[in-house]
Amino acid sequence: KNEVEQSPQNLTAQEGEFITINCSYSVGISALHWLQQHPGGGIVSLFMLSSGKKKHGRLIATINIQEKHSSLHITASHPRDSAVYICAPSGAGSYQLTFGKGTKLSVIP
Amino acid sequence: DTGVSQNPRHKITKRGQNVTFRCDPISEHNRLYWYRQTLGQGPEFLTYFQNEAQLEKSRLLSDRFSAERPKGSFSTLEIQRTEQGDSAMYLCASSLQGKNTEAFFGQGTRLTVV
């Protein structure tokens, strides 16, 4: 079973701050999702990456497959970024995702 | 296509009753997944379909749970004789077939068993 650890569990930031959320996993994977979940439950896929780095707007995701580690960065954070961010790797040979417990981000104006 | 659709969004039921949830995936997606999320936890895998075939089932899926995808399009998840421990958010996701394809999630069905 892939053990997924996210840090921090909770994060409060001032608007405009640069934010980093980290994810470590224990088993080799083929790809990793970063997901955003707002109150009410709906999940939005932010990134799926299997190597290197991806950027979308103010969001940047990186992954180091050898070190079994991924990070999600938010530049110039905004209160609308307040949500739970979940890391979900998919194992090699398996289609299912394993989810971290999430990082609850609150951005204060 | 508006994405993955789940119905109902909320369901309150009495213990012992049966409930059924529906998921309509993105139309060209042949993979469909069900996950369950309890308060404060990340989602947990329940089951996976490729077209109409149910290819994986988690040990979390007890005998009271059954999922179907009869025509390879929409899927239903039924819980029989509900228990309070079944209260959770039930999430559906779909993706295209192939290696490292991105999963798209529905809004979820929140079940409360009273």
Side-chain angles (χ1 to χ4, degrees):
Chain A
K1 183 185 175 189
N2 205 350
E3 302 294 335
V4 183
E5 295 288 335
Q6 283 187 237
S7 63
Q9 290 187 345
N10 292 281
L11 179 57
T12 300
Q14 291 284 78
E15 183 174 357
E17 282 187 12
F18 180 84
I19 287 162
T20 296
I21 299 171
N22 294 301
C23 173
S24 298
Y25 49 90
S26 60
V27 177
I29 64 168
S30 58
L32 182 143
H33 281 71
W34 278 102
L35 308 166
Q36 181 191 57
Q37 188 171 34
H38 281 282
I43 287 180
V44 174
S45 176
L46 300 174
F47 294 102
M48 191 200 70
L49 65 165
S50 53
S51 65
K53 176 180 174 178
K54 283 190 176 181
K55 185 176 189 292
H56 181 67
R58 294 179 295 107
L59 303 178
I60 303 167
T62 63
I63 189 168
N64 186 318
I65 293 291
Q66 287 73 28
E67 293 187 4
K68 298 187 177 63
H69 183 269
S70 178
S71 293
L72 176 68
H73 306 284
I74 305 175
T75 61
S77 58
H78 190 277
R80 65 175 174 265
D81 297 327
S82 299
V84 175
Y85 291 84
I86 302 172
C87 160
S90 59
S94 172
Y95 306 115
Q96 63 175 276
L97 301 177
T98 303
F99 295 81
K101 290 187 178 181
T103 294
K104 185 175 180 181
L105 172 64
S106 301
V107 181
I108 300 170
Chain B
D1 196 336
T2 56
V4 180
S5 176
Q6 291 189 245
N7 288 287
R9 292 289 308 278
H10 304 274
K11 178 71 178 178
I12 300 174
T13 190
K14 290 184 178 179
R15 190 175 52 185
Q17 298 292 308
N18 298 345
V19 293
T20 300
F21 311 140
R22 176 177 170 129
C23 171
D24 287 87
I26 293 172
S27 57
E28 62 268 27
H29 286 185
N30 55 358
R31 290 182 180 168
L32 186 147
Y33 313 79
W34 284 100
Y35 296 90
R36 181 174 70 184
Q37 185 179 25
T38 53
L39 201 61
Q41 301 295 316
E44 296 173 293
F45 171 77
L46 291 179
T47 190
Y48 155 66
F49 289 86
Q50 183 159 301
N51 300 312
E52 66 276 7
Q54 189 174 21
L55 297 186
E56 280 189 63
K57 286 175 63 174
S58 163
R59 286 190 298 273
L60 293 174
L61 217 64
S62 75
D63 291 345
R64 296 184 298 105
F65 287 70
S66 63
E68 293 182 343
R69 194 182 184 198
K71 297 180 181 178
S73 56
F74 73 91
S75 175
T76 58
L77 178 67
E78 181 183 15
I79 309 174
Q80 296 182 322
R81 305 181 302 282
T82 51
E83 302 173 355
Q84 286 189 316
D86 297 331
S87 296
M89 174 74 82
Y90 290 84
L91 292 158
C92 175
S94 71
S95 70
L96 287 167
Q97 186 168 345
K99 189 180 178 184
N100 296 341
T101 57
E102 188 171 0
F104 293 82
F105 287 79
Q107 291 291 309
T109 294
R110 183 172 295 282
L111 172 66
T112 303
V113 181
V114 297

